[in-house]
Amino acid sequence: MDEPTNEPRPADSRPPLVAAHTNLTPPQKAWSAYTVHALACRVCCDVDAGACGTAGELHQAWVVASQAAFRRLAGETA
């Protein structure tokens, strides 16, 4: 048989491209702020240094943003 096995697809059959630069969701932004701080903070990196107030505030901001996102997904008002 001389039938081609790898026929080229039509040019318009490709899926749409995804933008390389997209914005993060609010929970992602909050988690990013928390992790960036935690990786650079001397108090956060030292297990014997105690609690870091800034990390606690950033973590709480992430919790609030995540809970609001879950409420929106569930159809509740945020």
Side-chain angles (χ1 to χ4, degrees), residues 6-34:
N6 294 329
E7 294 181 16
R9 294 186 295 181
D12 60 349
S13 70
R14 294 184 189 182
L17 295 176
V18 177
H21 177 75
T22 58
N23 292 328
L24 297 176
T25 64
Q28 290 172 322
K29 288 179 184 178
W31 184 253
S32 176
Y34 169 72

Side-chain angles (χ1 to χ4, degrees), residues 10 32 46 64:
S32 176
D46 186 358
V64 169

Side-chain angles (χ1 to χ4, degrees), residues 30 33-34 37 44 51-65:
Y34 169 72
H37 168 80
C44 291
C52 173
T54 303
E57 292 172 7
L58 291 169
H59 185 267
Q60 185 60 32
W62 170 72
V63 169
V64 169

